[in-house]
Amino acid sequence: MKFKELDRLFNPRSVALIGASATPGKWGYHVLFNILKADFSGQVHAVNPKGGSVLGMECRRSLSEVPGAVDLAVITTPAPTVLNLIEECGRKGVKHAVVITSDFSETGAEGARMERELVAKARKYGMRLVGPNTMGIYSAKSNLHALLPPVMPRHGGLSMFSQSGNVGVQMLYWGNNKGVGFEKFVSSGNEGDLKCEDYLRYFADDEATRVIIAYMEGLDPDSALYPVAHAVSHKKPILIFKGGRTDTGGKAAASHSGAMACSSKVLRAAFHQAGIIEVEDSQELMDCASLLAVYPIPQGKRVGILTRGGGWGVITADACEEQGLVVPKLPDRIIDRLNKILPQFWSHGNPVDMAATLGAQPYLDCMETLAHWDGVDSIIALGGSLAEAFDVAPKGNGSKEIKDAERLMELLKGEIEKESELVVRHMRQLVADTGKPIISVSITGAEMDGSDPDQSGIVAYPTPERAVRVLKHMINYHDYLKLRKAA
Amino acid sequence: MKFKELDRLFNPRSVALIGASATPGKWGYHVLFNILKADFSGQVHAVNPKGGSVLGMECRRSLSEVPGAVDLAVITTPAPTVLNLIEECGRKGVKHAVVITSDFSETGAEGARMERELVAKARKYGMRLVGPNTMGIYSAKSNLHALLPPVMPRHGGLSMFSQSGNVGVQMLYWGNNKGVGFEKFVSSGNEGDLKCEDYLRYFADDEATRVIIAYMEGLDPDSALYPVAHAVSHKKPILIFKGGRTDTGGKAAASHSGAMACSSKVLRAAFHQAGIIEVEDSQELMDCASLLAVYPIPQGKRVGILTRGGGWGVITADACEEQGLVVPKLPDRIIDRLNKILPQFWSHGNPVDMAATLGAQPYLDCMETLAHWDGVDSIIALGGSLAEAFDVAPKGNGSKEIKDAERLMELLKGEIEKESELVVRHMRQLVADTGKPIISVSITGAEMDGSDPDQSGIVAYPTPERAVRVLKHMINYHDYLKLRKAA
């Protein structure tokens, strides 16, 4: 399949919503609402046999009444009606259909038969289908939000295919919450026609896609996905979260998407060979995606740790060793340089424990010294932003003097916020200058700490352990790339 | 040591801040500010040799000028001044001192000598010391916030001792962010006098403390902590996060708190024998603490999984098997009951995949059926609150009809929010009725999802994997309790 073919699916010039409904709660209402709200760049048409008006749009009674060409049909009507609609689409010259409708192969043999009929009909006209049983597709490039759930994804560099609509859509929410956006998304549904490997190939060639992520359930060792992944993975990172790794999960997957269970050991080997970064935790999926979206990949496993508090340095060092990373000793020349920045009682080692030294400048000076040292490949920097730590909420029962002090504390918080901006700017520059990822760990453990990687260019996690787990994946990926280059 | 002795430390009738300062940035300013802002229930005195006024309080030139008895002295003046102040405290009949001041044993041999002097002096007068080199203490009962950092802990059932001030204080922030509060807190500092086991013993006897948590670095296998923990752990859960488990972390700990490294295998055995719940991840520490704060402990490893979306059921099932939990098959009678609630195409198994059935009532009916089934010991319920999923932010460029639809969506969100309150109320009741923990997993992956365990009585995590890891710890603890009861 050529790039252009699927590009017309994600960036159509015109879309017809077949099953448009004026009734909130109906799929044909919500999908149309999302398309209109997101301000799709092409033409939109609404189709409903009863006519009337939906969300300010006049409904055509059938697709044939729609004037001009239609690139994409989105179908939300009940399963028994879909076959005829595909026929109509074919006759109209529609090139792609997203069949949101469920009750096909996921429900058993009769549904599977109906699904095969749909696909055969589409093939007759050279049409390609997404789904059936999908939550829809999304493309930032053309503002196409042909999605069922009430989510407005943030635009960014990730593209995702998901064999679970739910899991996929939730990653869109997570992206909104964590400040890392999506370029394209498809809930691949039953994959009656278009399959994961087709989307993977398309995302690989799509320039706006920087990172490919996926949730999959059905994936056996001879899947067509592997050769495609192998052809892509050295150019663009592919993160896959595989559900159904265990007997218990495999049984659940069989009931959910009909996926066959496969030993996780066999799968892991196949993933590794194809250069796929496999994650086994939903949080890790988005943590890894955030880093890949904005940072270079570390060129080795040596980590520099910078911390304002000793305990967090210890915790980070433990996590590094447990995940197979190395926390190298500081050479004398680096110690000498840090001696000039820090008070006498700093740790004199890695982790660089600043021994409660406050202020942005010494923090940045230490970071710069570490980042430019050729002995480390990445840095974990703890406690960079202190502003969040200032709890300035007035208790409301204080004396005049306490109220004055509260205002003063608020000013102080403002000052430190300004310093934080300086830290972020400087970190971003250091990452660019050194090519080393510098991961920030916030002080309050807040998940939504405003780190906003897409905006700030800085990746932050609420705990150092999460930073370390992401680094482990990145280093494995780096090792893969190195081996492949050498081969 | 008797309970009463330390109770006077945490709940003194009067506090004197020695080193009170009118200069923001000085420790003597911030600690006094926190004490005054939090509205300490007893009397507060400020002491500074220069006199004057600090935060609206007249400063006494010395402790001897303070009228009446002083239960607790908090000292922030430089290290060389502290010995004389302890002498003054002793003469005044002060029973406890919190020595915030650093530059003692953590800096080397001379500091260690000074620290021994301090302790000897205090002993002479029957005084007990917290620290030196501590970030302070906190008690919800008497609103005592004798803390250095600008944090106002939320009141609740956790009590913590921490050998790292930084790590400890950040747990207070995390508690604020996650909606689980603290009853007491102590940054134990260098533990020149009072030691972890003393605090542990006190928290054990403190009725308001429901869960004891700790961060520790120095802990060898013959520590006095173990017998104390053993005497407590079957009555009150003790969660310990041990830093310095690895060689790398151990070296960092030696430099930070002077703790000696100890093989994690030996430690793990000692923890287990004492009934301590050991966590090895900062996020897991607070995740476990949240559950213990409000829920009963599961009586076994059988988990019922309720989900609105199939993929999340698969992910949860995988995590259960990987952590050694069991996802039992549903018997026919439970399937029959669920058939009456759910549409034909639900999963007919555990995970109970509701196959996109919306609405609060069927969700609650399924939950009730699962919770009352004697085949499971706990429940993980995914996607209970759908309200957060509604992204109702207007895009600002819509037609009148789209704006109307946006308002409608906002109303719908409001309706679903009301339903969510119903879900929370019902879940809480079900937990009370069945004695089984029912863990909610939010749909948007937001960390601060308003689950607010202290307020709602419901424990929620952003991912099912985190719920499963907590359950694993709880089940190990339950097994320990069972064995101990049998012995």
Side-chain angles (χ1 to χ4, degrees), chain B residues 205-475:
Chain B
D205 291 333
D206 177 41
E207 276 185 28
T209 296
R210 287 198 303 274
V211 184
I212 300 167
I213 73 174
Y215 173 75
M216 301 196 69
E217 289 183 1
L219 188 64
D220 45 52
D222 50 3
S223 163
L225 185 96
Y226 291 110
V228 178
H230 189 262
V232 176
S233 60
H234 60 298
K235 289 178 282 186
K236 212 174 260 192
I238 307 169
L239 277 164
I240 297 188
F241 179 26
K242 168 75 175 64
R245 298 181 302 278
T246 64
D247 281 352
T248 313
K251 269 177 218 150
S255 141
H256 172 228
S257 58
M260 299 299 290
C262 173
S263 133
S264 61
K265 218 166 140 187
V266 172
L267 265 184
R268 200 160 297 142
F271 273 49
H272 182 73
Q273 243 180 346
I276 293 166
I277 306 169
E278 191 199 3
V279 295
E280 303 195 336
D281 180 286
S282 51
Q283 185 172 269
E284 234 164 276
L285 177 66
M286 284 304 281
D287 281 355
C288 286
S290 301
L291 189 131
L292 286 164
V294 294
Y295 271 176
I297 293 160
Q299 300 296 302
K301 60 182 173 185
R302 302 166 305 167
V303 183
I305 302 170
L306 176 62
T307 178
R308 290 195 195 265
W312 287 107
V314 174
I315 292 170
T316 312
D318 275 334
C320 282
E321 181 168 331
E322 283 168 350
Q323 299 290 343
L325 313 191
V326 172
V327 183
K329 251 187 91 172
L330 300 182
D332 288 344
R333 65 190 162 88
I334 299 295
I335 292 181
D336 286 347
R337 230 172 281 171
L338 291 170
N339 279 337
K340 293 189 184 102
I341 305 164
L342 293 170
Q344 194 185 341
F345 300 122
W346 74 279
S347 62
H348 289 77
N350 184 15
V352 175
D353 173 4
M354 295 175 65
T357 310
L358 297 177
Q361 203 51 56
Y363 188 75
L364 288 174
D365 290 343
C366 289
M367 191 188 289
E368 188 155 345
T369 304
L370 269 183
H372 282 293
W373 172 36
D374 58 9
V376 292
D377 306 298
S378 65
I379 288 173
I380 298 177
L382 298 114
S385 168
L386 294 173
E388 307 143 34
F390 275 73
D391 183 348
V392 294
K395 293 276 284 186
N397 50 3
S399 64
K400 181 191 163 297
E401 286 79 7
I402 291 298
K403 290 206 173 91
D404 287 346
E406 281 175 349
R407 272 188 289 275
L408 189 77
M409 223 60 95
E410 216 157 332
L411 288 176
L412 197 57
K413 185 184 173 117
E415 285 301 310
I416 293 178
E417 264 161 10
K418 266 186 231 152
E419 280 197 351
S420 298
E421 286 162 29
L422 179 76
V423 170
V424 164
R425 256 204 320 277
H426 201 92
M427 275 176 80
R428 199 166 44 217
Q429 191 58 46
L430 263 180
V431 173
D433 290 350
T434 63
K436 297 175 187 176
I438 304 178
I439 301 176
S440 172
V441 175
S442 76
I443 201 161
T444 54
E447 187 78 18
M448 292 179 283
D449 56 1
S451 75
D452 204 342
D454 278 351
Q455 194 67 35
S456 67
I458 293 302
V459 176
Y461 305 109
T463 76
E465 294 98 326
R466 281 168 64 176
V468 168
R469 284 193 291 268
V470 170
L471 279 178
K472 180 200 66 179
H473 284 297
M474 297 304 115
I475 289 159

Side-chain angles (χ1 to χ4, degrees), chain A residues 373-389:
Chain A
W373 172 36
D374 58 8
V376 291
D377 307 298
S378 64
I379 288 173
I380 298 177
L382 298 114
S385 170
L386 295 172
E388 307 143 32

Side-chain angles (χ1 to χ4, degrees), chain A residues 76-89:
Chain A
T76 62
T77 56
T81 67
V82 178
L83 187 64
N84 281 340
L85 292 171
I86 295 289
E87 171 80 33
E88 261 191 77
C89 287

Side-chain angles (χ1 to χ4, degrees), chain A residues 150-209:
Chain A
V151 60
M152 287 282 129
R154 177 191 177 112
H155 294 191
L158 312 182
S159 286
M160 178 179 202
F161 55 88
S162 179
Q163 290 186 332
S164 160
N166 250 285
V167 173
V169 164
Q170 279 181 255
M171 293 306 137
L172 299 178
Y173 285 113
W174 292 19
N176 286 353
N177 285 339
K178 287 168 204 288
V180 50
F182 284 80
E183 166 58 29
K184 297 201 167 65
F185 170 81
V186 55
S187 153
S188 64
N190 295 353
E191 300 188 3
D193 179 24
L194 286 168
K195 298 194 167 42
C196 281
E197 53 267 29
D198 300 315
Y199 303 119
L200 176 58
R201 199 179 288 117
Y202 169 67
F203 292 160
D205 291 334
D206 177 41
E207 276 185 26
T209 296

Side-chain angles (χ1 to χ4, degrees), chain B residues 21-39:
Chain B
S21 166
T23 311
K26 290 260 189 193
W27 295 0
Y29 175 88
H30 291 281
V31 178
L32 186 59
F33 171 68
N34 284 333
I35 293 172
L36 292 173
K37 183 177 176 181
D39 217 5

